[in-house]
Amino acid sequence: MTAQRIDGKHISEIIRQEVSEQTRQLKEKGVVPGLAVVLVGEDPASKVYVGSKEKACQQMGFYSEVHRLPENTTEEELLALIDRLNNQSTIHGILVQLPLPAHIQEKAVIDAISVDKDVDGFHPVSTGNLVIGDDSLLPCTPAGCIELIKRTGTEISGKHAVVIGRSNIVGKPVAMLLLRENATVTICHSRTANMKELTKQADILVVAIGKANAIDSSYVKPGAVVIDVGINRLDTGKLAGDVHFDSVQEVAGHITPVPGGVGPMTISMLMQNTLIAAKRINGIKE
């Protein structure tokens, strides 16, 4: 068996086309979705991500603002900017690029963003709504993972899903989303004693641990759907996921490559969240 590759780039493009068409329809009602991205400092990876988000906004027909602030921006100055964006009618989504400089409290910044404009899905109220099953803007990477699984034609309901990783950004929220889809969910992490026994039961395996090529075929049930959230740069300069692709693709039924799997989905889901926020803020039914 050789696994089918899940083409995140292609699926992402389909979602972007759907968002573009809905944006066109929304503009006919006098509403232009608006996204504000805030970058503090000179982190090279963050600058690339922000540039990609800016480009995506242009492609979708969104109104966009990018606020590039110096490294020495104070927490008070950043919070004042967020307060202004919270009250700005042309902005429906606010994203503060992480990580922030050490002198700024990440939690204080996330908490300051209006829940209605929390397109990253990181606000405690958004997280709480996710856990209890209430409607909320979903965190982009986990939501992208679910979309990839669904678009393989896999029925999530009733399946055993195993998530390796328990971060607040991916592991925990993707587990909650799988539970919402009626999967039976197991979360594994660095202290899990019998990990292989658990992962080999998984019909759906989501890996988000930040260690290159850590999960090989010995962890994978034949025919499983494997979603690799990791993106690691090797000494050779090449990118690799948390899953050893060559090994696992001989066992799995479906697998995401790195790059070209989960990565492209994150920004597309961000665009979708901004569109949803624009509709909700303007009282337009989805």
Side-chain angles (χ1 to χ4, degrees):
M1 177 190 292
T2 301
Q4 283 187 262
R5 287 190 182 212
I6 304 172
D7 188 344
K9 195 171 181 182
H10 176 66
I11 295 169
S12 164
E13 190 54 43
I14 292 170
I15 292 169
R16 290 189 185 207
Q17 288 170 7
E18 293 167 355
V19 170
S20 292
E21 175 57 24
Q22 290 178 58
T23 299
R24 186 190 64 76
Q25 294 171 11
L26 201 58
K27 283 182 174 179
E28 292 175 357
K29 297 177 181 178
V31 177
V32 180
L35 176 66
V37 179
V38 181
L39 173 64
V40 184
E42 300 292 328
D43 182 79
S46 292
K47 288 167 88 171
V48 171
Y49 293 144
V50 167
S52 298
K53 289 162 186 171
E54 190 174 17
K55 185 178 177 182
C57 282
Q58 292 168 355
Q59 291 172 342
M60 300 299 100
F62 286 10
Y63 169 72
S64 71
E65 292 184 4
V66 178
H67 297 266
R68 293 177 171 86
L69 306 178
E71 183 87 20
N72 62 358
T73 299
T74 65
E75 184 175 306
E76 290 72 21
E77 288 169 335
L78 178 55
L79 292 175
L81 171 60
I82 292 170
D83 184 59
R84 180 165 68 77
L85 294 171
N86 281 339
N87 291 291
Q88 186 174 326
S89 62
T90 56
I91 294 298
H92 308 104
I94 301 169
L95 184 147
V96 178
Q97 186 66 46
L98 304 177
L100 289 165
H103 66 278
I104 298 176
Q105 296 179 76
E106 192 173 290
K107 178 170 169 48
V109 171
I110 291 170
D111 289 0
I113 297 171
S114 166
V115 177
D116 293 334
K117 299 185 178 185
D118 174 35
V119 287
D120 243 346
F122 289 164
H123 192 284
V125 173
S126 300
T127 302
N129 285 336
L130 171 61
V131 171
I132 65 176
D134 275 5
D135 198 27
S136 63
L137 293 170
L138 302 176
C140 301
T141 300
C145 292
I146 300 298
E147 197 69 36
L148 288 174
I149 297 166
K150 286 183 175 179
R151 295 202 185 211
T152 66
T154 299
E155 175 65 48
I156 299 175
S157 180
K159 297 290 175 32
H160 186 187
V162 175
V163 178
I164 309 180
R166 54 177 169 177
S167 73
N168 291 333
I169 294 173
V170 179
K172 290 176 186 175
V174 83
M176 289 299 107
L177 287 173
L178 286 162
L179 197 59
R180 181 183 284 190
E181 296 290 337
N182 298 312
T184 298
V185 182
T186 301
I187 302 175
C188 296
H189 46 79
S190 58
R191 302 294 178 88
T192 301
N194 55 338
M195 191 182 295
K196 279 190 185 180
E197 289 176 35
L198 295 169
T199 60
K200 290 201 78 153
Q201 299 172 30
D203 304 302
I204 298 165
L205 182 63
V206 181
V207 186
I209 52 176
K211 292 183 181 177
N213 299 318
I215 302 301
D216 61 23
S217 60
S218 67
Y219 288 83
V220 179
K221 177 182 178 178
V225 176
V226 179
I227 305 295
D228 186 356
V229 187
I231 184 159
N232 310 281
R233 192 166 293 280
L234 303 175
D235 293 339
T236 59
K238 289 186 176 182
L239 294 176
D242 294 347
V243 172
H244 191 282
F245 185 87
D246 291 344
S247 166
V248 172
Q249 76 168 340
E250 298 303 319
V251 178
H254 293 83
I255 185 171
T256 56
V258 176
V262 175
M265 294 295 291
T266 300
I267 292 180
S268 295
M269 301 312 288
L270 172 67
M271 298 298 111
Q272 189 174 82
N273 270 355
T274 305
L275 175 70
I276 291 168
K279 289 180 179 179
R280 291 179 180 174
I281 288 168
N282 286 280
I284 297 169
K285 289 186 178 181
E286 295 170 43

